[in-house]
Amino acid sequence: AQHVRLREAASLYTAGQYAEARQAFEAFLRDFPDSPLLPEATLGVAASFEAQGQTAEALTRYQELTTRFPQSSLV
């Protein structure tokens, strides 16, 4: 279920629906707080903000990614 939800959010992002993608990534973070896929979802939130031109919020989320998940290959 987690992989499906993350793919759905990523599909929204790929389709250019950045606000909807951000909401889907944030919902994933809320619904699966212990998931090993949290770094990917956090990156999705940050990238969605960046794609919408909200660079300050994007930077905050990128920093969160590096702080919370320093061992992730995404970092």
Side-chain angles (χ1 to χ4, degrees):
Q2 293 179 28
H3 289 283
V4 172
R5 292 270 303 274
L6 197 58
R7 276 195 303 268
E8 289 171 351
S11 293
L12 289 168
Y13 182 88
T14 301
Q17 298 175 332
Y18 305 121
E20 294 85 354
R22 181 181 51 80
Q23 292 172 349
F25 285 122
E26 288 175 335
F28 181 93
L29 292 170
R30 274 192 315 275
D31 295 344
F32 303 105
D34 298 321
S35 173
L37 301 173
L38 291 180
E40 287 85 348
T42 303
L43 178 62
V45 172
S48 296
F49 275 121
E50 183 178 7
Q52 292 181 284
Q54 298 177 6
T55 53
E57 188 63 35
L59 285 173
T60 299
R61 299 307 176 105
Y62 286 128
Q63 288 173 336
E64 176 186 346
L65 177 66
T66 61
T67 302
R68 286 186 63 198
F69 311 104
Q71 301 304 318
S72 172
S73 62
L74 295 175
V75 175

